[in-house]
Each structure stands twice: as structure tokens, then as C-alpha cells.
Amino acid sequence: MTSATQSTPHTAVVSNRHIFAAISASCLGWALDLFDLFVLLFVAPVVGRLFFPSTHPMLSLAAVYASFAVTLLMRPFGSALFGSYADRHGRKGAMIIAVIGVGVATALFGALPTTAQIGLAAPALLIVLRLVQGIFVGGVVASTHTIATESVPASWRGTVSGMIGGGGAGVGALIASLVYLIMTRLFPGAAFDVWGWRCMFFTGIISSVLGLFIFSSLDESPLWKQLKKEAAAGSAPAQKTNSPLATLFSRDWRGVLFVNLLLTIGGGSGYYLTSGYLPTYLKVVTHTAASSAALILVLSSVGVIVASIFTGYLSDLLGRKKTFILVGVLRLVLFPVLYLAMVHTSDVVILGVYVIALCAIGSAGYAPILIFLNERFPTAIRASGTGLSWNIGFAIGGMMPTFVSLTAKTPAQLPLVLSGFLIGLSLLFLWGALAIPETKGQLDSH
């Protein structure tokens, strides 16, 4: 493969302060946006009753997950828009606009009237807001998923990938779990269906305020600044930086995108069918008390953070390819075993162990994907390439909870249906792991 965007290897001098700030900003930006997305998953049964009422509870639940999938489907458009901006004008500006946009859109969900109040206009408004939110979330991926890994030494990049992609998601889920725990205490029983779910959405405005406050003082990516400096001095080769999307969809890079999707679809599906689906699973299948479920989900979020950072670190030791293969085999075996075992336990402690294990394995599948995608693309198209590869794959993966809910005719069928879906998707993930090249150490060669 040849590329017009390659330049001579270079390593920018970066201060420890900038490294720390870039890692913190990327982790926090992704955590806040995952928190905004997770809020809907935590209140899915309530939103289903209020916005998609049906005599069949699984249809209402499927409708909520479909509205979640709509957000994911808009993410590729957001990553194309914001990724192109980030490649041409810098990662920082794209990050600030995107994070603020997600927070504002989330807060507006709390002000929506329900179907009982305004009829079919209520679900229509909810879907429109989900579309808007999805565009901004796609922009967050394109910016936060590049600025940190471009700022840290090569030996840290896998670990940082785990901290952002998986650890950031774990922090977002942890915040959502804590908010859910607080709201169920403040609005117990029927009160939660009136004000509790609204207040959970209102907390989304916090991410906008924090994003504006933290990211405004962040320095730009050193690799991006180096690229622009070389271009201005005429020392860089001819580059298509004014049209990163055209370069990305050229004959040289279309094949790279396709292979990337095998991993991102498999990784995204594993995430959404574990961390994303378990709040609903605990409610409708195991009938776990809300307070116990909230505590279990808090602990599982901590497990996600630990597992993600460890898997990212493992990719620094073993390489990206070997790590993906190892995780793929674990997913193939343990996903169905754990989901089926959950049905046969009434012990809340054992149930919690199963949930934590499921979430940890689900996050391990995509923790190194971030750095792998960064290493697949040169600096001039990295934000666009990473954003589209991640968001297209995770958009398809995010549709899986909808398909699972539609396939299972009753809640009792969910364990078997989930197991079947996860076996197939784990095989897809393994296919991608076997097909990709090793990319460790290639970021500075672009």
C-alpha cells in the first residue's frame, strides 16, 4: 500500500504536563459522553413505558434500544464531520464543540413530554434528539481518540488506549451507576417514573460545563502540530490534508477500513451486549432489586476500568494482534458460560461476580482497538480514519441489543439468545484478529 500522506519518522518533544493533560482530557471526554449514552440504558424500561407504550413489554424495550441504535447510526456522520475538521484544523477545537453538544442534547431529554401528554410527537422528538446527540458523539470519538495517543511515548500507547477506550467507558458507566443509585434513593418506587428518570438526563449538562472548563486549556496534539509545521515549511511530502475523507475512501485505504470493521463490530457488540445490556438484564431476567443492581453495576464499572487498562498494557507487551486473538478466545468461551450461569443463581454476591466478569471481558475486547486504529492511519487522516472505523463498527454493534430484544419472545429467552449472538460475534472478532497485521510501533512512522 502506498500513501501520499506518509512523512519521515519523527518524534515530537512533549512535556509531562501536556502528556498528563492530554490523557486526562481524552479519558474524561470519552467518560462524560459514555455517561450521557448510558443514562438511557439505565432507564430503558421506564422510557419504554412512557414513550413507546405497548402491551408487549419486549416490544417497548426493543423500541428503546432502537432509539439508542439511532444515535449510534449517526455517529459515523459525526466522525466524518468532526474528524475532517480535526485533521485539517486540530483535535482540540473538535473535542470542545463535540463534548458540549452531547451534554446539552442529553439534558434536553429530561424536558421531553411523554406519549401520554402529547401522543406520537413524544417518541418523534426523542428520536430527533437521539439523531443530534449521535452526531456530536461521533465527533468526540474522532478527537478524544487521537489527541492522547499522539501525545504519549510509544511504550505507553497501549495502556493509554485501554485507559481511554475502556477505562473512559468504565468511568462513564461508573458515573451513570452512581447517579442511578442516588436517583433511586431520592425518587423511590413510582416517583422514579415521574421525576427520577428526568433528573438523570438533566445531569448531562454537567459534562458540557466540565468539557468547556477542562478542554479550553489543553494544548494541541504534538504530532498534528509537527505535521502542520512541516507542511508550512514545505518539508513534508504532498498531502491531501484539505480532503482527508477523499483520501480515506481512496483505493489505497478502503481495504484497511473493511478489515478494521471486523474488530470494531465484534468489539462494539461485545460491549453493548454486556455493559450495555446488563442493566436491563438484571431488571427483567434476574429481577434484582434496584439498589442491589445499582451496586453491582458500580462494581462492574470498576472491573471494566481495571480490565481495560490491563488489556491495553498487555498489547504493549505482546503486540496488538496477539492480544486480540487471546481476548477473542476468552470471549468465545466465557460469554455464553457466564450468561447461562446467571439464570441458575439466586445469590446476589455470585450474581455480582458473573456481571463483573462479563463486563470486564466485554471491555477487554475493545480496549486496544483505539491504539490499533491510530497506528493504521497516518497523522493527516488519523482522526477521520479512527473515527469512522470506530463509529461504523460500534454503530452496527450498538444495534445488537435491539436485535436481541426482538429475537427473544420473552425475558426468559434472553440468556440463550444473548449467548447465541455473542458466540457469532466473537467468531467475527477472531476473524478480524487473525486478518489484521501487527501495528505496534507504527504511529511515529506516519
Side-chain angles (χ1 to χ4, degrees), residues 45-410:
V46 177
V47 172
R49 291 194 301 270
L50 296 177
F51 288 85
F52 305 98
S54 171
T55 56
H56 196 307
M58 291 305 295
L59 290 179
S60 292
L61 190 59
V64 176
Y65 279 113
S67 71
F68 181 79
V70 164
T71 302
L72 299 172
L73 290 173
M74 293 304 295
R75 282 166 57 170
F77 296 98
S79 63
L81 177 64
F82 283 90
S84 179
Y85 180 92
D87 283 329
R88 290 181 289 118
H89 303 293
R91 321 309 195 197
K92 176 181 173 179
M95 181 188 294
I96 293 174
I97 297 171
V99 170
I100 292 175
V102 173
V104 171
T106 301
L108 290 174
F109 284 116
L112 287 176
T114 65
T115 299
Q117 295 171 318
I118 62 170
L120 293 178
L125 287 173
L126 187 143
I127 295 298
V128 169
L129 267 181
R130 299 299 295 176
L131 292 171
V132 173
Q133 187 188 48
I135 293 174
F136 285 114
V137 173
V140 173
V141 172
S143 51
T144 62
H145 284 27
T146 49
I147 194 169
T149 52
E150 289 181 338
S151 302
V152 302
S155 59
W156 296 9
R157 286 171 181 158
T159 306
V160 169
S161 173
M163 290 176 65
I164 299 170
V171 171
L174 176 61
I175 298 172
S177 300
L178 291 172
V179 170
Y180 180 61
L181 182 62
I182 293 170
M183 293 304 169
T184 55
R185 299 289 176 85
L186 292 177
F187 303 97
F192 188 84
D193 288 12
V194 180
W195 283 108
W197 69 274
R198 291 188 183 276
C199 290
M200 284 195 68
F201 282 119
F202 288 149
T203 58
I205 199 66
I206 297 173
S207 64
S208 293
V209 176
L210 286 176
L212 181 61
F213 177 74
I214 294 172
F215 304 147
S216 59
S217 60
L218 180 68
D219 291 332
E220 186 54 79
S221 158
L223 288 183
W224 184 84
K225 289 196 295 184
Q226 179 73 19
L227 178 70
K228 290 302 176 182
K229 181 179 178 181
E230 291 175 358
S235 59
Q239 299 177 12
K240 298 180 181 179
T241 53
N242 289 328
S243 184
L245 290 178
T247 304
L248 187 61
F249 285 101
S250 67
R251 183 178 59 185
D252 287 338
W253 292 103
R254 286 195 298 265
V256 172
L257 271 175
F258 173 77
V259 176
N260 291 351
L261 291 180
L262 298 177
L263 279 177
T264 56
I265 292 171
S269 299
Y271 173 70
Y272 288 117
L273 291 179
T274 54
S275 294
Y277 208 89
L278 280 165
T280 297
Y281 190 97
L282 291 174
K283 188 176 184 67
V284 304
V285 177
T286 63
H287 304 290
T288 308
S291 57
S292 298
L295 181 58
I296 289 173
L297 292 170
V298 168
L299 294 175
S300 69
S301 299
V302 176
V304 164
I305 297 169
V306 174
S308 299
I309 295 175
F310 173 76
T311 310
Y313 172 71
L314 196 64
S315 76
D316 281 330
L317 293 179
L318 303 180
R320 319 305 182 206
K321 185 181 180 76
K322 289 181 180 178
T323 302
F324 285 133
I325 293 173
L326 175 61
V327 172
V329 172
L330 290 175
R331 284 165 46 114
L332 185 62
V333 175
L334 293 179
F335 274 160
V337 169
L338 290 169
Y339 258 126
L340 293 174
M342 288 174 66
V343 185
H344 302 292
T345 181
S346 57
D347 189 318
V348 70
V349 175
I350 297 177
L351 180 65
V353 171
Y354 290 156
V355 171
I356 293 169
L358 275 168
C359 291
I361 298 167
S363 66
Y366 70 87
I369 287 181
L370 163 57
I371 185 58
F372 164 75
L373 294 177
N374 283 184
E375 291 167 341
R376 289 280 263 171
F377 299 104
T379 304
I381 60 171
R382 183 169 294 130
S384 300
T386 296
L388 280 172
S389 297
W390 181 284
N391 281 316
I392 293 174
F394 273 68
I396 296 172
M399 296 171 66
M400 295 303 146
T402 304
F403 295 146
V404 165
S405 298
L406 290 172
T407 303
K409 294 181 173 58
T410 65

Side-chain angles (χ1 to χ4, degrees), residues 5-57:
T5 56
Q6 297 254 26
S7 63
T8 58
H10 55 268
T11 302
V13 178
V14 187
S15 68
N16 289 334
R17 175 186 170 277
H18 174 73
I19 292 173
F20 178 78
I23 294 174
S24 300
S26 291
C27 287
L28 183 61
W30 188 229
L32 292 175
D33 277 9
L34 264 293
F35 160 73
D36 290 332
L37 290 178
F38 257 105
V39 168
L40 178 64
L41 299 181
F42 275 80
V43 298
V46 177
V47 172
R49 291 194 301 270
L50 296 177
F51 288 85
F52 305 98
S54 171
T55 56
H56 196 307

